[in-house]
Amino acid sequence: MRYPFPVGKADFIQGDEAIARAAILAGCRFYAGYPITPASEIFEAMALYMPLVDGVSIQMEDEIASIAAIIGASWAGAKAMTATSGPGFSLMQENLGYAVMTETPIVVVNMMRGGPSTGQPTFPAQGDIMQAIWGTHGDHMLIVLSPSTVQEAFDFTIRAFNLAEKYRTPVVLLGDAELAHMRERVYIPNPDEIEIVNRKLPQNEEEAKFPFGDPHGDGVPPMPIFGKGYRTYVTGLTHDEHGRPRTVEPEVQQRLIGRIYKKILDNKDDIISYEKFELDDAEVAIVSTGIVSRSAIRAVKLLREKGVKAGLLKLNTIWPFDFDMIEELAEQVKKIFVPEMNMGQLYHLVKEGTNGKAEVELISKIGGEVHTPMEIVERVVG
């Protein structure tokens, strides 16, 4: 098919635009959203592109309706996405939990800005890390990815759709206002260069009777599609493998939530992505994610020039979190620094992961400005 933007070549585009193009190439054909800075350009791009690829882009009355719409579209067989920022992401939390409970593959983009409340609409922040992981109520498990460049915004969006489809789960893509509006060179591959994963479908009527069962033994049931002739019951209530409510049977809740956790945690090696820089002989480590990683990489180079054996662990996947890897890092280095644009969120995960084997220091910065490399260097050298 023909795409409404050039493929097989590089372009100079914003992070928001890169996310929209990646979604189209990943197979997204339904977008529902509500305008909000700094994610509005994603909506604008999807409104332009979707009609040209036989897709649907719709403005809903609010963010609650937006995520509800993409959940419905997913059950109708479409790959679906919404995008928002902090205030809208807060409104999405109940339905995010519904998507977890009903094992609905969707992609939710949150381009973070300063908060709480209306906060700083045009300035970047990383204040929604914990909310992305734990924002909805109850025990739940989902996947959170965090790009640091416009190229990664493109690549991680495609990966978000693949993971959502493979594990029948919501995937949150956490960006920020800086990344949303930054322009960089991005390679837009030809479709045949892109690995695309599609959800597992029932092969027969018998499989379709168990939309929340596990006939293949991998924890991810086939997903019947509404309108294909199957009788499928979908509910946010605790339900058995047939989808029927079983709200007063503890063993059903244990079996259901246990499997939702297990299908993600048993596949951590496939889901978790990270990059290591100069860590082989490091005595001091920096652990970062998202936009701050750009400054952290430069800070490591400057520290090395000063004779400090510093290294960087850049987390591309925030959740699930590799606590074992952090403990191994803590056994190697004397101290770990965590620069982030909030009052301390990733810091707490890292500190828990060290298991007391290394000192962990937060380098907090809020107000809408990304850490400079020298700010990180100065804290490390003390």
Side-chain angles (χ1 to χ4, degrees):
M1 67 173 294
R2 294 187 63 181
Y3 289 91
F5 45 80
V7 296
K9 59 190 298 185
D11 207 345
F12 189 65
I13 55 176
Q14 287 185 332
D16 280 350
E17 173 77 16
I19 290 169
R21 294 190 190 185
I24 297 290
L25 286 167
C28 179
R29 292 298 179 267
F30 187 90
Y31 181 92
Y34 188 83
I36 185 170
T37 304
S40 293
E41 289 86 351
I42 298 174
F43 194 174
E44 291 169 4
M46 295 301 267
L48 173 64
Y49 294 147
M50 278 299 199
L52 303 177
V53 294
D54 294 326
V56 174
S57 178
I58 182 170
Q59 178 173 328
M60 304 302 291
E61 63 266 33
D62 57 29
E63 291 85 354
I64 299 172
S66 298
I67 189 171
I70 68 169
I71 290 170
S74 184
W75 276 98
K79 291 186 180 182
M81 180 178 84
T82 188
T84 188
S85 190
F89 193 57
S90 293
L91 291 176
M92 292 181 179
Q93 292 307 313
E94 182 179 3
N95 274 333
L96 191 60
Y98 181 83
V100 171
M101 191 65 149
T102 57
E103 298 179 74
T104 306
I106 56 172
V107 173
V108 178
V109 180
N110 176 8
M111 303 308 279
M112 295 179 286
R113 69 195 215 184
S117 189
T118 315
Q120 296 176 292
T122 60
F123 277 23
Q126 293 181 311
D128 303 348
I129 291 176
M130 284 300 186
Q131 185 185 30
I133 300 169
W134 299 117
T136 195
H137 64 279
D139 291 307
H140 59 276
M141 179 58 64
L142 75 174
I143 297 170
V144 184
L145 307 180
S146 175
S148 64
T149 68
V150 179
Q151 184 70 62
E152 286 183 352
F154 180 92
D155 296 339
F156 290 10
T157 299
I158 293 175
R159 186 163 192 260
F161 276 98
N162 286 344
L163 291 172
E165 294 283 314
K166 186 173 185 178
Y167 296 108
R168 267 188 70 178
T169 184
V171 178
V172 177
L173 184 73
L174 271 187
D176 63 83
E178 194 78 28
L179 185 62
H181 296 148
M182 175 188 298
R183 291 184 182 272
E184 290 185 315
R185 182 185 185 277
V186 179
Y187 177 67
I188 311 294
N190 284 303
D192 58 9
E193 299 177 67
I194 302 171
E195 179 187 2
I196 299 295
V197 176
N198 295 311
R199 68 194 64 173
K200 191 163 45 183
L201 300 174
Q203 299 302 305
N204 50 55
E205 183 70 35
E206 191 61 28
E207 278 193 5
K209 291 178 182 177
F210 297 90
F212 303 100
D214 184 19
H216 299 289
D218 62 359
V220 186
M223 185 174 177
I225 301 304
F226 284 7
K228 296 295 185 181
Y230 300 125
R231 295 186 178 183
T232 304
Y233 193 91
V234 179
T235 176
L237 293 168
T238 295
H239 49 269
D240 63 15
E241 287 74 11
H242 295 275
R244 298 173 300 201
R246 292 289 187 269
T247 61
V248 296
E249 300 173 31
E251 64 276 10
V252 176
Q253 172 78 349
Q254 178 64 53
R255 194 163 68 237
L256 172 62
I257 302 304
R259 182 177 56 75
I260 289 174
Y261 265 71
K262 193 171 187 293
K263 70 179 181 181
I264 302 298
L265 296 180
D266 281 1
N267 293 285
K268 286 195 302 182
D269 290 346
D270 179 50
I271 297 168
I272 292 176
S273 170
Y274 57 86
E275 296 171 56
K276 293 181 177 181
F277 299 89
E278 302 283 3
L279 279 177
D280 288 345
D281 64 342
E283 297 177 354
V284 172
I286 299 170
V287 178
S288 66
T289 192
I291 194 73
V292 179
S293 298
R294 302 167 72 105
S295 294
I297 292 171
R298 179 61 179 159
V300 167
K301 293 177 181 177
L302 293 172
L303 286 164
R304 287 273 171 175
E305 291 173 5
K306 291 177 177 290
V308 178
K309 292 183 177 179
L312 170 68
L313 176 62
K314 175 179 174 290
L315 302 179
N316 299 329
T317 305
I318 299 178
W319 199 257
F321 192 80
D322 197 334
F323 291 99
D324 293 336
M325 180 176 62
I326 295 296
E327 185 171 4
E328 291 174 7
L329 180 62
E331 291 171 348
Q332 172 190 338
V333 302
K334 299 173 182 177
K335 192 170 184 177
I336 297 174
F337 292 86
V338 185
E340 51 183 328
M341 296 179 67
N342 54 50
M343 298 298 288
Q345 296 188 24
L346 182 65
Y347 161 79
H348 293 290
L349 296 175
V350 173
K351 190 171 184 179
E352 180 182 348
T354 62
N355 207 16
K357 295 180 179 178
E359 183 183 353
V360 183
E361 182 174 325
L362 170 67
I363 307 178
S364 170
K365 188 175 184 180
I366 61 174
E369 293 183 349
V370 181
H371 300 68
T372 66
M374 281 307 301
E375 286 175 334
I376 298 174
V377 169
E378 288 167 3
R379 287 290 297 273
V380 172
V381 298

